[in-house]
Amino acid sequence: KAGVTQTPRYLIKTRGQQVTLSCSPISGHRSVSWYQQTPGQGLQFLFEYFSETQRNKGNFPGRFSGRQFSNSRSEMNVSTLELGDSALYLCASSPHGLAGGTGELFFGEGSRLTVL
Amino acid sequence: AQSVSQHNHHVILSEAASLELGCNYSYGGTVNLFWYVQYPGQHLQLLLKYFSGDPLVKGIKGFEAEFIKSKFSFNLRKPSVQWSDTAEYFCAVTPAGSARQLTFGSGTQLTVLP
């Protein structure tokens, strides 16, 4: 069974630009969560989607948004990039979502974003 | 909201030494607890998990963790570490049966010297 796939793996942007990251969950998984990982802050929760609906949102500004498609694939978008947005963005999938499930997540390798 | 504290930011051990990494959480209700590991250049993967029952749980690669409810702790242990255990370890918590996100600790970098 293929794991969680994230694209692109690496990207460089400049301040003010926007970026879209993509995540394909494990087949059959309906929940996709996004996390931002930085050396200083660790893993910070961005949002969770289940069956195309955003069910949870972390404490990030509105510049961070996401969506989920009917095939469970998800995208996240960051607009008006700032230097502080440089991070590893991790996508994780789970079969049942956080509600009613166990919270066990299967992570992708991440998309490393550098903002210059 | 729940929170997780990992007090050891960087631990350096020699091979065959015993390991214990601390994890304390803050939440007033029932929780599910996890340890995830991130080996160099690899994705985060589940090491072990606790949902209910026996508070001593065993995971992959000889790791175990003990849930002590009275201390809000879920410490990770291994009797004898190997060089291949060099990785970053994350403790995580989520309220049981709720639609809340997984909250991670800040991580502990373990370096095992050959």
Side-chain angles (χ1 to χ4, degrees):
Chain A
K1 205 177 208 182
V4 177
T5 304
Q6 292 188 246
T7 56
R9 292 290 313 281
Y10 303 92
L11 65 166
I12 300 173
K13 294 286 187 179
T14 56
R15 280 180 300 174
Q17 288 187 309
Q18 73 165 13
V19 66
T20 299
L21 309 177
S22 179
C23 172
S24 293
I26 292 172
S27 178
H29 286 194
R30 297 167 63 190
S31 167
V32 172
S33 300
W34 288 89
Y35 285 82
Q36 182 196 65
Q37 185 178 17
T38 58
Q41 299 295 320
L43 281 139
Q44 302 284 311
F45 173 75
L46 281 155
F47 26 66
E48 184 219 0
Y49 287 86
F50 184 83
S51 294
E52 302 178 66
T53 301
Q54 186 183 89
R55 294 199 306 186
N56 284 283
K57 191 176 192 307
N59 190 26
F60 278 81
R63 300 185 296 108
F64 292 80
S65 63
R67 58 178 175 169
Q68 186 179 34
F69 303 95
S70 58
N71 62 357
S72 294
R73 191 177 69 84
S74 177
E75 289 181 346
M76 68 162 283
N77 184 77
V78 188
S79 62
T80 320
L81 284 166
E82 301 176 359
L83 295 179
D85 297 333
S86 294
L88 181 67
Y89 290 88
L90 295 172
C91 170
S93 74
S94 67
H96 309 294
L98 298 175
T102 61
E104 181 177 353
L105 300 177
F106 297 82
F107 284 86
E109 293 186 322
S111 293
R112 186 166 295 281
L113 170 65
T114 301
V115 182
L116 302 177
Chain B
Q2 67 270 28
S3 65
V4 181
S5 295
Q6 291 182 247
H7 307 295
N8 311 106
H9 296 294
H10 196 180
V11 173
I12 302 174
L13 296 172
S14 298
E15 276 194 315
S18 64
L19 169 72
E20 181 160 4
L21 301 182
C23 171
N24 287 90
Y25 69 92
S26 172
Y27 184 71
T30 306
V31 293
N32 294 335
L33 294 155
F34 305 81
W35 276 97
Y36 281 83
V37 61
Q38 190 171 31
Y39 296 103
Q42 296 188 27
H43 62 276
L44 269 165
Q45 55 189 283
L46 183 67
L47 199 55
L48 48 78
K49 58 192 176 187
Y50 172 80
F51 299 148
S52 63
D54 188 344
L56 184 62
V57 293
K58 296 189 183 301
I60 61 172
K61 303 185 180 183
F63 286 90
E64 65 179 31
E66 184 176 14
F67 171 50
I68 302 180
K69 189 175 181 180
S70 61
K71 295 184 178 180
F72 297 89
S73 70
F74 190 55
N75 292 354
L76 181 70
R77 300 194 293 245
K78 186 172 184 179
S80 176
V81 294
Q82 300 173 317
W83 176 78
S84 59
D85 294 325
T86 295
E88 190 157 17
Y89 293 80
F90 294 89
C91 182
V93 63
T94 188
S98 125
R100 304 272 288 277
Q101 70 268 23
L102 204 57
T103 299
F104 286 85
S106 56
T108 297
Q109 175 63 49
L110 171 65
T111 300
V112 180
L113 304 175

